[in-house]
Amino acid sequence: MKLPRASLPIALASAVSLGAQVAFSLVMLRLFAPQAVGEFSVISQIAFFWMTLALAQSPLKLLADMHLPAVQALRAALGESLKRWTLLLPLAWLGVVLSGLLQATQVLAWAALLALLQLGWYLAQPLTLRRASTRSTAWGRALPPVVAAAVAGAVGMKWPQAGSTSLLLAAAAGYAVGALWLLQARNSDGVPVNKDAGLTPAPTQADNRSAFLRLMHTSADALTGVALVLVWQRSHGAAQAGYLTALLRVLGFVPATIHAAWAQVLLAQGARRHTSPLWVGLLGAAATAALGLICMAAVQLQWLTASWSGLLPYVIPVALWQASACMLAACSHLPFQQGRASAFSYAAIGFDALQLLVLLAPWLVGYSPDAATHAAWLGGVSTLALLGLSSWLLGKRQFGSDSN
């Protein structure tokens, strides 16, 4: 199986990014007071939600619309995102008010700054895929989290028990470094990532979705992510929610890497590779299974504290869920190369609705399963649905009018 030559550097950059995010979390817990960590977490979550809705999958559109020059596509994506960012200001203010944090105006200002800088970094990543060298693209993904962790560590050691402002400054510094790649990519004279051999052009590649549909797709994803944490905590307690979210973070790294190092690279190349996405998905599924076994071993061999023993019932359903997500991630470029981006978004929104239904089913029918049973249902339904979506995309690849 031959992968695009940009895939390995970007996969390694993704691994470094994840490691830096883990280091940032450890620095917070070690060097900062709980109140500071809590305030930072609330503000950063508001900013992330604000940024995600403002982008409305603009980075993906920037990659898919290869018929437009990269800088022209960037300007269009940036302009639309900034308009949505402005329109979402009242919603962000509502989130700040509901958070109960003091000095609401200052909190909103920090959230606005973080959202804008994140927005710039998230747009810089697809731009570098289209315009910059592979090395520059990898640095643009790996360096910002490293900078944030380094700044947080330096401030925390110099000023013990520093407040949330120090963490906000560290995060802003990291995002600002990432946003600088917008300028670096525009002036890049390196070898772009889309220079690769053994590819078949995809002349129909484009993102034909309306801005409203992209916003609805993004909103459904965001709502499901928030509901997953809140409903699980409300139904099964904070510890059980911690088990689920921790596993999703660890095992979800594999499909996220496949999307970044395979699907996004192929979209940036504006071409289809002869290697079947099926093999890439199966490789990711095997890696997910291996990570799941490591998690089980870590608990059973007591590499973790005894409080993590409750993690075990979650491993198999979550591993199956994320292994099937690897299959979908490997196929996620196909809708944009087949003119089926809108149909894919509707299907993805349907998947989100199905997950919400499984999450809320105990409340709707008045039945209270234990956390392990609920996780089995959630993981099982998610696995079947994701495999169904993947099969649909692969079938269209083989039998559609634009297939190889």
Side-chain angles (χ1 to χ4, degrees):
M1 180 179 66
K2 186 177 181 182
L3 298 174
R5 63 183 180 182
S7 290
L8 181 58
I10 293 175
L12 292 175
S14 298
V16 171
S17 176
L18 177 66
Q21 292 175 51
V22 172
F24 188 91
S25 299
L26 294 175
V27 166
M28 284 197 304
L29 297 176
R30 175 68 177 172
L31 301 178
F32 290 84
Q35 181 178 351
V37 173
E39 292 174 354
F40 167 76
S41 298
V42 171
I43 296 172
S44 61
Q45 188 60 42
I46 293 173
F48 181 79
F49 188 78
W50 192 355
M51 176 274 301
T52 302
L53 292 183
L55 281 177
Q57 299 193 344
S58 292
L60 195 55
K61 181 173 176 62
L62 201 161
L63 282 175
D65 287 343
M66 289 296 293
H67 60 285
L68 296 177
V71 175
Q72 179 183 342
L74 170 67
R75 288 172 177 168
L78 185 59
E80 292 176 0
S81 298
L82 289 176
K83 288 178 183 177
R84 284 188 292 267
W85 178 89
T86 303
L87 292 174
L88 288 166
L89 180 60
L91 182 61
W93 173 251
L94 178 61
V96 170
V97 172
L98 293 177
S99 73
L101 294 177
L102 301 177
Q103 299 178 321
T105 302
Q106 182 176 336
V107 169
L108 181 66
W110 273 114
L113 177 63
L114 292 183
L116 282 174
L117 293 175
Q118 284 183 85
L119 189 150
W121 182 37
Y122 274 57
L123 286 176
Q125 293 177 48
L127 183 65
T128 54
L129 274 172
R130 289 187 58 175
R131 294 269 299 180
S133 67
T134 301
R135 178 179 298 180
S136 177
T137 300
W139 275 109
R141 291 172 182 249
L143 190 58
V146 172
V147 170
V151 172
V155 172
M157 287 187 292
K158 187 171 180 62
W159 292 287
Q161 302 301 314
S164 59
T165 300
S166 299
L167 288 170
L168 292 167
L169 284 172
Y175 294 138
V177 169
L180 288 177
W181 256 257
L182 286 171
L183 301 176
Q184 194 278 340
R186 292 185 61 176
N187 299 322
S188 174
D189 56 2
V191 180
V193 172
N194 63 356
K195 297 295 184 182
D196 207 346
L199 298 172
T200 300
T204 60
Q205 178 176 305
D207 186 349
N208 59 5
R209 299 173 298 173
S210 66
F212 178 77
L213 179 56
R214 287 188 286 114
L215 182 59
M216 290 301 98
H217 187 165
T218 304
S219 300
D221 287 345
L223 175 62
T224 304
V226 172
L228 182 64
V229 178
L230 296 181
V231 171
W232 212 265
Q233 181 175 356
R234 182 70 179 270
S235 300
H236 307 295
Q240 298 294 332
Y243 298 145
L244 179 61
T245 54
L247 264 182
L248 285 173
R249 182 178 182 86
V250 173
L251 300 183
F253 167 71
V254 182
T257 300
I258 290 175
H259 188 264
W262 169 258
Q264 289 185 16
V265 170
L266 290 181
L267 287 175
Q269 292 170 336
R272 293 176 295 214
R273 201 168 191 88
H274 295 301
T275 301
S276 172
L278 177 64
W279 297 109
V280 178
L282 289 174
L283 180 62
T288 302
L291 278 178
L293 290 174
I294 291 173
C295 291
M296 294 179 70
V299 175
Q300 293 177 335
L301 298 178
Q302 298 182 345
W303 296 344
L304 303 175
T305 61
S307 61
W308 285 99
S309 60
L311 189 75
L312 282 175
Y314 290 89
V315 175
I316 292 178
V318 173
L320 289 173
W321 174 3
Q322 295 307 304
S324 59
C326 290
M327 300 299 297
L328 185 63
C331 304
S332 58
H333 61 291
L334 295 177
F336 302 97
Q337 296 181 344
Q338 300 167 343
R340 301 177 183 273
S342 294
F344 177 69
S345 275
Y346 285 122
I349 292 171
F351 170 73
D352 289 330
L354 182 61
Q355 280 198 316
L356 285 172
L357 180 62
V358 176
L359 274 173
L360 297 173
W363 290 1
L364 297 176
V365 302
Y367 168 63
S368 300
D370 58 33
T373 302
H374 201 177
W377 274 103
L378 179 63
V381 170
S382 298
T383 297
L384 293 175
L386 289 170
L387 289 177
L389 279 174
S390 302
S391 298
W392 172 62
L393 293 177
L394 286 170
K396 293 300 181 182
R397 175 179 182 270
Q398 294 176 356
F399 306 114
S401 60
D402 60 348
S403 61
N404 286 332

